[in-house]
Amino acid sequence: MKFHLLIFLLLSTTSFGLTAQQNDSIPKRILFTQAVKSDAPQIDGNISDACWEQVEWSGNYQQFEPYNSEAPTQETKLKILYDAKNLYIAYRCYDDEPDKIERRMSRRDGFPGDWIEINIDSYHDLRSAFSFTISASGVKGDEFISNDGNNWDSNWNPIWHAKTQVDEEGWTAEIKIPLSQLRFGEAEEYVWGIQSTRRYFRKEERDTWQPIRLNEPGWVSRFGELHGIKDIKQQRQVEIQPYISAQRASFTAEEGNPFATGSDARITAGLDGRIGVTSDLTLDFTVNPDFGQVEADPGALNLNGFQIFFSERRPFFIENRNIFNYSITEAEAGGNFNSDGLFYSRRIGGAPHRRIHSDPDENYFVDRPDNTTILGAAKFSGKTENGLSIGILESITQREMATIDILGERTQEVVEPLTNFFVGRVQQDFRGGNTVVGGMLTAVNRDLNNDPELAFLHESAYSGGLDLVHRWKDNQWVFTGKMLWSRVNGSTEAIQSTQEAFEHLFQRPDAEHLEIDTTANSLMGTGGTFKIANYGGDWIFETGMTWRSPELELNDIGFLVNTDELNYFFWGARRWTKPNNTFRRFQWNYNHWSRWDFSGKNLYRAVNTNSHQQWANFWSSGCGITYENLDISKNALRGGPLLRRPNGFGINAYLNTDSRKKVQFGLNTFQGLSQNNIVRVQSYGGYIQLQPTNAMSVNISPSFDRYQRQEQYVTQLEFEGDKRYINARVDQQTISLTVRLNYNITPDLTIQYYGQPFISRGRYQDFNKTTTTPLGKTFEDRFTLFEAITYDSENEEYSVDDNDDRAFDYSFGNPDFNFIQFRSNLVLRWEYVPGSELFLVWSQGANASGDPNRGLTRSLSENLFGDNARNVFLVKATYRFLR
């Protein structure tokens, strides 16, 4: 491979960032606090408690945006006190028109209306912090900040207390944060980093206590300092949260199916807990976790064969997930490789790998679990005062069995083995966090128990990586390097299946650098990323390369889209952040990409430019155009030879109205078109956001997508000793509508509704076969249309006369489809005491296959609330014991 060319591209593009502005550092402000000398303040929003007189107000907030470093529209002040157990904060947010203070409500972490927050870097590592936000309406928000402000995790849910009041001068707030919810080391006197931000809603203004320039890289490293905390002891947190859940499901009974009687019920119990091993390291654990109140995944169906990435929604795996993150690339330019990572928590507790289906015609019925049961899981995580970040996760999932009923006689067959998952992550800060060195190790071990039915699974899978982040020039310049490896072990059947899987395709006839080893019982591969960036000033850029060797395999516990590729990427931008009469802010971006396989063949080239702006009237918009001038796919024929795809353009645009208004809407579209109309993609989406009252919000988001391709893969088969790769013209149309409703009875008592009907229909015609020149320049060079093809509607089968001898040579099934899905849940959530919750849940789901020849809306209306709907009613109660 011509690696010298890649190195030249990488180094030459760094000059793009040399014009980045170099700013002198802004002096850090210092706020002094004292220990409470009398009674602690009562947390009621009234800041008249005598103890608040011990310390002076600290004000002089400055605008962060829109007019950076200028005086704020309204003045803000804060005070901080502490005692042996808690940190206390008081705010005075002045407002000349208190009747116009926006007191919208939302569920926790909604950040509605006017709000104020404090960020506390109690580690004082200049990299991470704990954020506590309180809105004028009393809604709490909390986030864990990591990577110097590049990651804000709102799934961190500590126990703390806050109240607000509105008066003739504006509004006030009081906060009590137990020290057990923070992490800090041992010291005689502490210095913590702090930052406070106020949102002044009417002007969409952000004011900060510690001034910070808008284009500076980093956030936590720019905090001011809190001085004066003495003689406090490390708080070893102990939290136990048992739960009990009662669930009843109702559905349509199926005649003859003993497993579909129309209803079932169950009661479960479990336990979540957290123990502070030290003040900065905690052990989280769960026994028989229940995720019945978790929102369902959105509908998705694609035809390209690649895996679909779904975000994690289960609380145990969400909290502290930043510690376990090992995303391989994270390129600003984007790309399919951006979703690759060593740890993808959705692998734990997923659907069983072995699939056994019912056959009612043969009186063969199967009761198969939808998901693998998580028997237990534990996480040991935290960060020491010396800058060592540690994360260890261990989980065990149950051996799952399917029950098979044949005319009343029942047997059981294994569908998933007992499995142990392990993840270990360490990172060490140097140079005050400007250099971070880390590593990760994952392991999956399955007890296959000599079950021949599970021989297709890996018996064990291991992966690991080393990573380095180095920042210099006041954090403006960043170098990132990651190198990783994987090894999977199993039967020769399992390893051959991996070599032939969609992500690898060793069987490709034109891949001379690849060869299937039918005797191998292990497979080992590598991958990595190197990139350099400048994020400071008006001109910024990032460029680098990332690779996946053909043998790399991460999908036992990680997420891997593709292998056998080396990608080069570049992203650059110019930012205008000072408002004028037209824009509040404006940004222009440029990207380009190129890809090679490990034989050195160039597979892909594309360039893109786009812009994003917020207008003076608070509307926002953006548009972009991408040109692909080379696209050769090694996956399109599912193990067949490389296939040239046509060059083409893609255009995207969006428009959003003022987010402060009680009626908002947004529109977006993507239009893709290739040469000679071989491929056409149309996508339309939008939303309308309604705020009829402060307590209620409604969001309705429809979308319509149409995907047309003349060369869509259908199937492959043998004929006269050769492979036939069958393709067709496909017309796929997809409609979805997502509805969300939130109603706050109080800040701690909410009703939430989510619903999404989804339908995707695909119809195929103009069937063809790939020629012996799949890299030809024209469609006719690459494909030959079938002239002698007939369709048997009774058997739903196409038959083809391939050699013009007036006899059918082979046949294949009708690939048309019409998939209909409906998912919804209605949740009443009551946090009756901080950290303890009651859930009342009604969820409804339905899947159906409709007639592909019917219209989309008709198919949707006929199947949306059909007889196959499943209703689940659930009551779940938790109680959080805190010591």
Side-chain angles (χ1 to χ4, degrees), residues 327-338:
S327 178
I328 299 173
T329 307
E330 293 182 306
E332 291 286 347
N336 285 341
F337 47 78
N338 257 7

Side-chain angles (χ1 to χ4, degrees), residues 16 66 89 135 162 187 214 253 298 309 340 343 411 561 572 704 771 788 808 823:
F16 188 94
I89 304 165
S135 73
L214 193 59
F309 184 93
D340 291 349
F343 179 46
T411 58
V561 172
F704 171 76
T771 69
F808 292 124
R823 293 284 184 268

Side-chain angles (χ1 to χ4, degrees), residues 301-308 501-503 560-561 635-636 638 645 707 712-713:
L301 191 153
N302 68 31
L303 302 179
N304 59 23
F306 293 102
Q307 295 185 75
I308 300 174
F502 180 85
E503 295 82 9
L560 179 65
V561 172
N635 306 91
R638 311 299 199 270
R645 293 281 179 77
Y707 173 79
Q712 178 61 46
Y713 174 84

Side-chain angles (χ1 to χ4, degrees), residues 576-592:
W576 290 266
T577 56
K578 186 175 182 178
N580 55 41
N581 292 334
T582 305
F583 300 112
R584 282 169 58 90
R585 67 176 69 90
F586 186 96
Q587 179 165 323
W588 165 79
N589 299 315
Y590 167 80
N591 306 275
H592 64 250

Side-chain angles (χ1 to χ4, degrees), residues 240-243 272 832-833 835-837 877-882:
I240 303 295
Q241 188 176 40
Y243 82 85
D272 295 324
Y832 54 95
V833 295
S836 300
E837 299 168 315
T878 71
Y879 187 82
R880 198 168 180 179
F881 296 91
L882 174 65

Side-chain angles (χ1 to χ4, degrees), residues 399-557:
R399 185 172 188 253
E400 296 287 358
M401 308 294 293
T403 302
I404 300 170
D405 185 291
I406 305 176
L407 296 174
E409 291 190 14
R410 294 193 177 185
T411 58
Q412 286 194 321
E413 297 219 13
V414 63
V415 292
E416 183 74 15
L418 180 73
T419 306
N420 176 261
F421 297 88
F422 170 85
V423 182
R425 177 77 161 123
V426 295
Q427 288 181 292
Q428 177 64 59
D429 293 353
F430 298 97
R431 299 175 56 247
N434 288 324
T435 300
V436 183
V437 179
M440 191 170 195
L441 180 67
T442 75
V444 178
N445 287 282
R446 297 185 174 95
D447 182 7
L448 298 182
N449 200 31
N450 296 319
D451 287 316
E453 299 87 352
L454 301 178
F456 66 94
L457 292 175
H458 297 142
E459 185 175 3
S460 60
Y462 306 102
S463 65
L466 297 174
D467 57 295
L468 167 70
V469 178
H470 178 66
R471 299 174 176 86
W472 70 99
K473 291 248 184 199
D474 201 23
N475 283 352
Q476 295 190 66
W477 286 88
V478 183
F479 171 80
T480 303
K482 294 184 179 182
M483 299 186 68
L484 57 129
W485 59 270
S486 71
R487 179 185 176 96
V488 293
N489 306 297
S491 66
T492 55
E493 174 191 347
I495 300 305
Q496 181 173 344
S497 177
T498 301
Q499 294 175 86
E500 296 176 347
F502 180 85
E503 295 82 9
H504 304 276
L505 301 176
F506 280 25
Q507 69 272 33
R508 282 170 31 218
D510 55 354
E512 297 180 357
H513 61 297
L514 301 176
E515 182 179 358
I516 294 177
D517 185 351
T518 59
T519 65
N521 53 24
S522 66
L523 192 67
M524 189 167 181
T526 63
T529 295
F530 293 108
K531 64 181 181 180
I532 190 170
N534 186 307
Y535 300 124
D538 296 332
W539 289 92
I540 53 180
F541 84 100
E542 178 186 273
T543 187
M545 62 179 70
T546 184
W547 74 94
R548 316 285 186 266
S549 79
E551 303 84 3
L552 185 68
E553 175 54 47
L554 303 176
N555 285 324
D556 289 89
I557 194 172

Side-chain angles (χ1 to χ4, degrees), residues 83 95 250 285 328 351 470 623 633 657 671 705 716 850:
D83 60 23
D95 197 309
S250 64
F285 59 90
I328 299 173
H470 178 66
C623 61
S633 173
T657 63
Q671 304 291 318
D705 298 281
Q716 58 183 277

